[in-house]
Amino acid sequence: MKKRIVAGMMVAMMAIGAVGCGNASSDSKKSSDTEYTIGIAQFAEHGSLDNCREGFLEGLKEEGIVEGENLTVLYDNAQTDTGTASTIADNYVSKKVDMICAIATPCAMSAYNSAMNTEIPVVYTAISDPVAAQLADDDGNSVGNITGTSDALPVKEQLEMIRELMPDAKKIGIIYTTSETNSVSTIETYKEYAPDYGFEIVETGINTIADVDMAAADMVSKVDCITNLTDNTVVSGLQTVLEHANQANIPVFGSEVEQVKNGCLAAAGIDYKKLGIQTGKMAAKILKGQAKASEMPFEKITDPSYYANTEVADKLGIDLPNTFTEKAEVFDTITVSEE
């Protein structure tokens, strides 16, 4: 019997609206002209996860599975609520979709639980630590009918970058959501490697997005800079963090391109569009019967991408060295995403 993941999730009482009708199929192989229905469950609405979703559909398209032609997509956003994520997954199972794509750890854990006793495969993306989330074993192999891609942050490269840009900095602040397994795991990685670069990690845990304001206001008085994780709740409140950091004249480092566009100084992070494309190609193999999710170890992007924002640097009075800007994608304006 497969082990059910326990993540402190209560079932949300709200009903998810009707969003189409899925076509059930238990066949292990499908012909090239088969039509598919995929339910995409996204945990939060922000740039990196949106890029994952767009990349996922692009990866499928490159493999001949195209929305509006032979693919029906059901899409729901949990708005950072784990109970809603569970309800969304249950809804997809009841509609007997051909696959669930789960974007971010809470949605992946919910989808795995909901689809456990069915033949519906789950493909996840934007999961920092599939092992810690109990979606893979210590060797990276699937624990069931589930696989996908990890957005594990290049922590060493991020610390090296911060040291290059801030040679005198001593304390790095990190705000994270205590209920997000991915964030808890990444915090431990930061603590492990920070001393190698002469840093001390100052952490503050929060429970909801309402806690971001107070946490950021307190954090900026204790640290030389803040580094942002792929924490969905904190990313959703990024402008609040940036507001306090700007008032204190300290930089915030991002974990991917959208955060840098929106006001973080720089990042050694993940290209979420590429990660989504990689996930879509994995999903296509499963849908076409070329592979089984249960037999596919999770994958990840091994090389970080570097980003910098010169408008932010100018406002903070920080000179970005050529050794960094030559390898980074550089933006010269701050573009705040619409809420």
Side-chain angles (χ1 to χ4, degrees), residues 153-155 157-162 164-165 190 226-230 238 251-272 303-309 312 320 324-325 327-331:
L153 290 177
V155 173
E157 288 85 353
Q158 181 87 339
L159 289 167
E160 182 179 340
M161 177 194 69
I162 296 173
E164 180 181 6
L165 302 185
Y190 264 101
I226 293 174
T227 191
N228 209 30
L229 309 181
T230 51
L238 177 60
V252 178
F253 292 93
S255 55
E256 48 83 36
V257 62
E258 298 300 330
Q259 294 173 28
V260 176
K261 288 180 181 178
N262 293 341
C264 288
L265 174 63
I270 301 296
D271 185 327
Y272 278 91
D303 297 323
S305 297
Y306 292 91
Y307 309 100
N309 191 310
V312 176
L320 298 174
F324 178 69
T325 56
K327 65 182 178 183
E329 182 177 358
V330 179
F331 303 94

Side-chain angles (χ1 to χ4, degrees), residues 44-56:
E45 188 172 353
H46 56 73
S48 56
L49 300 190
D50 292 342
N51 285 346
C52 268
R53 185 180 73 251
E54 293 172 8
F56 176 74

Side-chain angles (χ1 to χ4, degrees), residues 39-326:
I40 300 180
Q42 186 171 316
F43 187 60
E45 188 172 353
H46 56 73
S48 56
L49 300 190
D50 292 342
N51 285 346
C52 268
R53 185 180 73 251
E54 293 172 8
F56 176 74
L57 294 174
E58 186 174 322
L60 286 170
K61 184 177 181 180
E62 290 179 7
E63 299 300 322
I65 300 176
V66 183
E67 184 178 9
E69 295 182 10
N70 59 349
L71 172 64
T72 297
V73 175
L74 314 181
Y75 170 70
D76 290 283
N77 194 299
Q79 302 297 336
T80 73
D81 186 274
T82 53
T84 303
S86 180
T87 303
I88 290 170
D90 287 344
N91 181 56
Y92 290 158
V93 170
S94 71
K95 291 180 179 297
K96 299 180 180 179
V97 296
D98 296 302
M99 173 180 286
I100 298 175
C101 172
I103 304 177
T105 303
C107 280
M109 296 168 75
S110 294
Y112 176 68
N113 282 336
S114 297
M116 183 178 294
N117 296 318
T118 74
E119 295 185 4
I120 300 173
V122 176
V123 174
Y124 56 76
T125 187
I127 312 296
S128 296
D129 193 340
V131 176
Q134 301 179 48
L135 301 175
D137 63 23
D138 290 338
D139 296 321
N141 299 312
S142 174
V143 296
N145 197 20
I146 183 169
T147 189
T149 57
S150 168
D151 64 344
L153 290 177
V155 173
K156 287 184 178 181
E157 288 85 353
Q158 181 87 339
L159 289 167
E160 182 179 340
M161 177 194 69
I162 296 173
R163 177 53 72 206
E164 180 181 6
L165 302 185
M166 301 187 71
D168 298 323
K170 296 179 180 179
K171 294 183 178 181
I172 299 175
I174 302 178
I175 303 171
Y176 73 102
T177 308
T178 56
S179 61
E180 288 202 31
T181 304
N182 54 305
S183 296
V184 175
S185 173
T186 307
I187 284 280
E188 293 306 312
T189 304
Y190 264 101
K191 288 181 180 178
E192 179 183 354
Y193 292 119
D196 295 341
Y197 298 89
F199 290 121
E200 175 188 346
I201 300 299
V202 179
E203 62 185 285
T204 296
I206 63 169
N207 295 313
T208 69
I209 195 170
D211 301 327
V212 172
D213 184 58
M214 184 177 295
D218 179 65
M219 178 68 78
V220 297
S221 66
K222 299 178 179 178
V223 300
D224 300 301
C225 65
I226 293 174
T227 191
N228 209 30
L229 309 181
T230 51
D231 186 294
N232 295 288
T233 303
V234 179
V235 172
S236 296
L238 177 60
Q239 291 307 313
T240 299
V241 177
L242 288 169
E243 180 181 351
H244 287 288
N246 290 337
Q247 290 175 357
N249 201 44
I250 66 171
V252 178
F253 292 93
S255 55
E256 48 83 36
V257 62
E258 298 300 330
Q259 294 173 28
V260 176
K261 288 180 181 178
N262 293 341
C264 288
L265 174 63
I270 301 296
D271 185 327
Y272 278 91
K273 188 72 173 290
K274 289 182 180 178
L275 190 71
I277 291 172
Q278 186 173 344
T279 312
K281 290 181 177 293
M282 294 177 70
K285 290 181 181 179
I286 296 167
L287 290 171
K288 293 178 180 180
Q290 298 170 353
K292 295 181 179 179
S294 59
E295 298 173 354
M296 300 174 70
F298 73 84
E299 300 178 4
K300 58 183 178 181
I301 291 178
T302 55
D303 297 323
S305 297
Y306 292 91
Y307 309 100
N309 191 310
T310 55
E311 182 178 349
V312 176
D314 290 343
K315 288 184 176 181
L316 294 172
I318 294 176
D319 293 325
L320 298 174
N322 291 337
T323 52
F324 178 69
T325 56
E326 287 175 355

